[in-house]
Structure formats: structure tokens, C-alpha cells
Amino acid sequence: MRFVHFITCLSLVATACGPDGKSSDTPDARVTLDGSAIDAPATDASIDAPTTDAAEGDGIAEVRGATDGSVTLDVRNVTVTYLKPALGNTTNDPAGFTVQSQQMGPGLFVSVDPSTLSPPAVVGDVVSFQVTTKGTVGMQPRAQAITGWTRHSQGANVSALAQNISAATDVVSAIDNYDSELVTITGALAENFAGSGQAFSRSAINTAGLTGNTNLQLRVPTTLVDALDLANGCMITATNVPMGRFKPNNGNDQAQVGAFVAADLTVSGCAAPVVTDAIALSPTSVRVTFSRNVKPSSLAANGSQFTFDNNLSPSAATVNGREVTVTTNQQTGGTTYTVTVLSSLTDLQGTGVGTPNNDTFGGFITAAVVKINELNATITDGCDLIELRAISGGSLEGYKLMERNVELAALPAIMLQANDIVVLHMRSDFAACNPATAMNETTSKTQFPAATHTRNYDTAYDVWTLDTGLTATNNVFTLRDGTNTIVDAVFVADNAATPDTATDTETQAAVVGAANQWDPALAAYVNDVFYTNAVQTLNATGTSNTGTTIQRVNNTDTNSKADWTTGAGAAHTWGLLNAGQN
């Protein structure tokens, strides 16, 4: 329930009042910060942030209920509870701040940059202003323009306005009763993080009050996911943060707990870090990668937490996020080594390395220089193909091919010569794509000959993946070497005149642009911008492995669509150099 309407509600003892002044038999499910239930409007003296007399009203409900457009509505004696930075799409996620005057709300998001006000808004300010434009974005009411900004006092205790909603059962079903209000919540992240608009990621939360409802979400900047190592299964407490809401097209109302800076979150209970990869970076250095960020203070600088076989020994170690680079004595090229890590090395929460705590790697050999050379995403049954070409000889060990932000394949340690071809096949477990169950060719191009394995090419190293087929809409394919550096990429688009580019495609395109692996190198490639700068037309190529393909047109690599065929592509050249290459 909201604040009491004294004129309409005559009996405060016998009848509870709803937000419209009508009686309600349903008690509010929210609780205070100490976990005790709230079944009446918060008016006791324990709330030491200034409150507005319920009879007079603070004006927030009138703004929230107003028709979108020009208005003249006063908001009186409210407390600034949170400052929101501008991130990503500034239409959906502009800079702004939230206000409220009572613990039970209502609250209001003001989509006006707080730094542009005079004086600038600060959390704890008690202010008044007049709303001149009201709008709604994703079902969230917003004050989009204001005037008459007046600060009455500073330093109000905003914690007194926060509701602990960890036990609430109606956060999603009654999101309008929580939107833009200050909340604290404890729960477990219940799914892998996914994109949630430009620069943001989200995960469902399971709480004491709601379990299994994916429309209760933690929404945070993607940079914060990485910085705090947030992951499925971690316990989080978000303290004094604004509750948001969003309704995607053809989707359900989402209750989105918004955290924007590291100080908003406490993280615990995450899965133990494990070793995921090891690779030689040079004849005297090895990079060991973990599933979680490593706590720098837990790393011994002399590398003593890492042990090796075959007479290899550490002498130093440095950390960068999830990666530890260990200095060793001279490796023997091609020799297989095993590295094992002690549990005294921990993640950011202090959890020691679990199992697996080891991995094998080959002694350093010069890496090949490789480029994406040809592709087809429209072959029947998802038997799609991507071809790589070696520009100079060396090992393919550690290379990864990505579709958007998903790994298509970790490529095997093949020793390549200049102009060698590698063909990556999809759906290795499907008979129509792999009728004789070929496996990766690592020793020769005819290790699994085409006479028996009819989808293979005897002029190429054939490599297989379980991936179920490439996505034939706007897409980004990225090649990373053994140091995880982007060494090649291609933007490809379907033939939509006004495309709606998937968020994951836009996000990965921005990553490639930042690495200067596509021209023009932009900060964002959204919808038509992506389409304009992408190779076309991904969904117009042949439907068999003998049909037309998208392919490079010569030896030049300008990291742009000018390097590639357009339209339906050209006659396939799987396992061979393309026309114009030598």
C-alpha cells in the first residue's frame, strides 16, 4: 500500500487503503531493513529521513499517473535517493536520479542529469521541483524535464527510506508498487549473465520470497560483471539501490534491481575458481587461465604456487584478471607439460583454487598467422562451414573461433605452412553433416580422407565442432590467437533493409572495433550502422556445400567489407585459395 488518503479512507483501524484510496484486504509483503514485516504505512520515528505528510502529499503519485507529455506538477520535499550515471543507450538509460519521501514509496525516476542542476543533486538532498515533461520508457514513468529546482537541506539518511525486499513475494507481480523506490535485496544469481541493452547485463535472482521467477533480475553494467566476477550461483546483496522496471517487446514485466557501481554490491558464495587453460606464450613464459578473477594479494610473486613436470620450474608470476603469467626456465618446443596450481591462490572472495587445478600445454612453438577466408551459414541441416587460411607458418594451438561472443571451436595444435587451409565443419555428431564420423585432422590433410569421409577436403585440414549451425542473420565472426588477442574478424549481414541487429552482435562488433580489427573502427555498431559496414548477404549463399559462399577476394586485408564478396557470393573454393589469392 502507499500513503493513507485521509479523505477517502475513514477507518484506519478496520480497513487498509490501496494506492487509489480504496480499501484493500491484501497486506503489503514488504519488510524493513531489519527483516520485520510492514503492514501499515511507515510513520514511526525510526525513519530519520525527512518525510512528507501523507495528507499533503509529495506529488510523486500525481506525476507517475499523469498522461505523457507536457505537464505542470509540483514535487515537494522529497529526498534524492540515488544518482544514476548515463551508460549505453541514453534513451533507455539516461543519467538521472530517484526521489521519494516515504519508505513505502512511491518513488520517481527523474531522467535529468543531476550534474546539470544548480546546485547539483546529491544523495541525501531534500528538494522540491516542478515537472514540466512526463514520459514512459519500458513501462517506467519518468520525469523527463523539470524546473524550479530547490534544495532545502542535505545529509538525509537515505537508508531509512530503503525497503528490504528479500522476502517480498510480489516484487514482479506488483512492480508498479516498487518501481524507482530504494531497496535492499539479498539473493542468489540464478542464470548466466545475458545482454540487457547496450553496456548492460542481467541475471535472474532467487530470493527468500521469489524462486524461479526469471522476471526478477539484477541488471548491472557489463564492466561490473567482469570487475566483481559475478556469475551464476553467486550470492549478492544489493544495498540502497533503485528498483527499475522494463517491459520488452512481446515480453513480460521485468522487475530490475539496478546496481551501477561496485559499492552497491556485496558478493559471496561463488563457485571455487578452477584452471581452464594453459598455454606457452614464449620459450620462458606460460599463461594459466582460471574460471574466476584471481585476487592479486593471494599470488606469490616467485611463482611457487605453480608446479611443472619435465624439469620445468617457475621463477616469477604476475596476474591480470583471470590470467596468471608464469616465468619459467627454457621450455623444449613441442614437449607436453603439465602445470598444477596450489589452493593458496584464490579468487576475489578469497576462495581457493578447486579442481581441476591443472592443465597440459605444449612447449612454445611459433604461432601461425591465420585469417578467416570463406564461410557459408545457409547449408541444409546446419552443416555450415568456415574456412581459415594460414598467411605464415606455425602452430594453431590456442586459436579460438567465435560467433558473436560464443566460442564455435577451440582449434587443435596443427602445424601449418603458409597458404595451408583449415575447414571448420559444424554438427560433428549429425550423420547428414559427418556421415562417416570424421574427427579432427592434426597430422595430415588426408588423415580422414574424402574417399571415406565425404564431407572432408583432402586439400585442407578438416576440423569438427558440435555447434549446431551458424546464425544467418547479422553476425560477427572473430578469430583469437593463443594469447586471446583478436587477430581477425568479419562482420556479415543478411539482406534486411532496416535490420534489427541482435544485442550480442552489436556488443561483439564494438569489441572488434575497439581492437581496430574492423574499418571503420566505431564505438558502437547499432542496427543500420552495423548493416552499412557489414559484408552482405549472409542469408543468400548456397544451401549445399557445393553452393556459393562468402569469401575474401584477394590477399589484401583491410579489415573491411571491401575485402569480401557481396550478395550471393562466389562459387565455393573449400580447401583451396580463393580467386584473386596466390
Side-chain angles (χ1 to χ4, degrees), residues 36-53:
S36 58
I38 295 176
D39 56 8
T43 58
D44 61 69
S46 66
I47 299 178
D48 49 13
T51 60
T52 300
D53 187 286

Side-chain angles (χ1 to χ4, degrees), residues 57 92 126 373 463 507:
N92 292 334
V126 178
N373 201 49
V463 176
T507 300

